[in-house]
Amino acid sequence: MLVSATAPAARAVAAAELTAVHDVGAVLEITDVAPVAVPHRIRGRGWISGRLDAVPRTRHADTARLFGGRVPLRDEGETFLRLEPDDAWTDDLWGASSVSAEDFIGSRPDPLARHEAELLQHLAGAHQDQLEALCAFVGEQDAASRPAVEPWQHVAPVALDRFGIRLRFWRPGGRGFDARFDFHTPVDDIVGLRHAMHHLFASVAR
């Protein structure tokens, strides 16, 4: 983390170093907000607990690579801190679960994570007709159990990963729900995503 040297976390670490107490416990809370306008935009929260300490200056150059080459500015009173994780928890659209430190350290980001926000915004702005077709498909699937329900008036993509896309359906002033559409095969890049979305839209159009 790149923080101000006057931030509470940085002050706590500095005080611990002066007193030879090197175990500063900390919890990092992360809030995931959908990048498109939908009701209930918070998609999930995560918490990482562990031990906080300062990154040695000899490691600043290596750490800066995680920030696009950005290094702390001593004149601005900035510093690098690192959190060594002990435990992690998530509570999101897929449910609540704990993550061990070993699994957390060994995890890898989804190949679409870096582009997810712009991809969701593009789908919401340029592919509304196809999304509405998926809305109609959900209505047909639910017709037997909810024959009196009117068609859903709004639909927007709220989450995307290599395995599929999650859409949110809702009405003004009414309740809504999420529906998950799995891709026919996991994707590894943007090219694979284009093929997967084309296959998904084509299957609904049949």
Side-chain angles (χ1 to χ4, degrees):
M1 295 174 283
L2 179 60
V3 301
S4 167
T6 61
R11 293 203 309 268
V13 169
E17 290 178 344
L18 289 175
T19 57
V21 177
H22 297 294
D23 286 337
V24 177
V27 177
L28 176 65
E29 180 175 348
I30 304 166
T31 301
D32 180 23
V33 180
V36 294
V38 293
H40 313 295
R41 289 186 66 177
I42 295 179
R43 302 189 299 186
R45 288 186 170 88
W47 299 265
I48 305 170
S49 68
R51 289 158 290 166
L52 192 66
D53 63 4
V55 177
R57 291 199 176 276
T58 56
R59 298 288 306 277
H60 276 195
D62 292 335
T63 306
R65 295 192 184 98
L66 302 174
F67 295 84
R70 174 83 155 81
V71 296
L73 301 175
R74 300 186 67 178
D75 293 343
E76 300 293 334
E78 297 176 332
T79 187
F80 276 139
L81 299 180
R82 63 184 176 189
L83 179 66
E84 184 175 344
D86 290 328
D87 297 288
W89 304 267
T90 61
D91 186 0
D92 55 24
L93 300 174
W94 292 265
S97 64
S98 61
V99 183
S100 68
E102 293 77 14
D103 288 341
F104 178 80
I105 294 172
S107 63
R108 295 293 180 269
D110 186 277
L112 301 181
R114 180 178 298 181
H115 309 286
E116 185 198 19
E118 60 187 278
L119 290 170
L120 292 177
Q121 291 167 356
H122 171 74
L123 287 169
H127 295 275
Q128 193 64 32
D129 290 345
Q130 290 95 327
L131 296 178
E132 289 175 358
L134 292 173
C135 179
F137 176 75
V138 171
E140 291 174 4
Q141 294 295 100
D142 290 347
S145 59
R146 297 185 299 173
V149 172
E150 297 178 0
W152 298 97
Q153 296 178 20
H154 298 283
V155 57
V158 292
L160 177 69
D161 57 55
R162 67 186 305 241
F163 298 106
I165 185 169
R166 183 182 291 265
L167 304 181
R168 181 157 298 167
F169 301 91
W170 77 95
R171 302 186 187 90
R175 294 188 303 172
F177 71 97
D178 288 359
R180 171 84 176 180
F181 294 86
D182 292 332
F183 297 143
H184 65 290
T185 184
V187 302
D188 296 320
D189 50 33
I190 301 299
V191 174
L193 176 64
R194 291 195 188 99
H195 291 304
M197 293 302 301
H198 177 77
H199 185 275
L200 176 62
F201 291 145
S203 66
V204 175
R206 295 192 190 106

